[in-house]
Amino acid sequence: LELRANHPAEGRARLEAALAADKRHAPAAMALAALASAEGREADADAILERFIAHAPHASEPRWALAVRRLRAGARDAALALADDARQIAPALPRNRLLWSYVRLGAGKAEDAYTELAALHAEQPADSAVAVLYGDAARGAQHPDEARKAYA
């Protein structure tokens, strides 16, 4: 699927055609939702992700995208539920563990995020995204020494 910069209408039409041909085409759904959001059509972006989730119950990426959108909108319970659902699809996948922790931390569940990220950081000490989020979670969970180590 090729899209040209500065041609949102053409891009939208191609993405919609891709989704019409395959309702489980994750890259098209994610890109179409991102385009809708960039155009200020937040409700449309949410609806695109929700429809995709209904057609592809085993895809985690749209759940993560919608969880982060819900978190940013202040809907913590909805964000947490989506994060839990997405994580269950592939619970051992490091990206799922990282995103689950991000949502937990953003929803005020710093201790949950800290516990998960401590394990993930031990497994992947060179991953800077894990280290930074682990530091944030440690700080939020009142573990300042661990936060300083993570940021070092």
Side-chain angles (χ1 to χ4, degrees), residues 30 33 37 42 45-46 49-50 53 60-87 95-107 133:
M30 298 293 289
S37 182
E42 301 302 334
D46 288 348
L49 293 170
E50 289 165 354
I53 290 167
S60 62
E61 286 301 316
R63 282 175 174 73
W64 290 123
L66 193 54
V68 170
R69 292 179 59 74
R70 295 286 192 262
L71 185 63
R72 290 181 180 156
R76 290 180 173 183
D77 291 341
L80 291 167
L82 282 160
D84 288 343
D85 288 348
R87 184 171 178 189
R95 178 168 166 74
N96 282 355
R97 295 169 65 195
L98 180 68
L99 290 168
W100 181 86
S101 298
Y102 174 83
V103 172
R104 302 295 291 181
L105 182 61
L133 194 58

Side-chain angles (χ1 to χ4, degrees), residues 4-152:
R4 296 182 319 175
N6 300 318
H7 293 87
E10 179 184 327
R12 186 179 321 99
R14 288 182 182 212
L15 291 168
E16 288 170 348
L19 272 178
D22 180 1
K23 293 185 183 340
R24 295 175 294 163
H25 191 280
M30 298 293 289
L32 190 57
L35 179 59
S37 182
E39 294 174 336
R41 297 179 301 112
E42 301 302 334
D44 289 346
D46 288 348
I48 290 162
L49 293 170
E50 289 165 354
R51 275 194 311 272
F52 180 82
I53 290 167
H55 290 291
H58 301 295
S60 62
E61 286 301 316
R63 282 175 174 73
W64 290 123
L66 193 54
V68 170
R69 292 179 59 74
R70 295 286 192 262
L71 185 63
R72 290 181 180 156
R76 290 180 173 183
D77 291 341
L80 291 167
L82 282 160
D84 288 343
D85 288 348
R87 184 171 178 189
Q88 290 306 312
I89 292 169
L93 191 67
R95 178 168 166 74
N96 282 355
R97 295 169 65 195
L98 180 68
L99 290 168
W100 181 86
S101 298
Y102 174 83
V103 172
R104 302 295 291 181
L105 182 61
K109 307 284 186 183
E111 193 63 43
D112 292 351
Y114 170 75
T115 300
E116 181 65 35
L117 289 165
L120 187 57
H121 184 59
E123 295 167 20
Q124 299 188 355
D127 187 319
S128 60
V130 172
V132 170
L133 194 58
Y134 173 55
D136 292 349
R139 190 179 67 226
Q142 305 301 314
H143 300 284
D145 293 338
E146 289 301 313
R148 279 191 288 280
K149 288 180 199 173
Y151 294 139

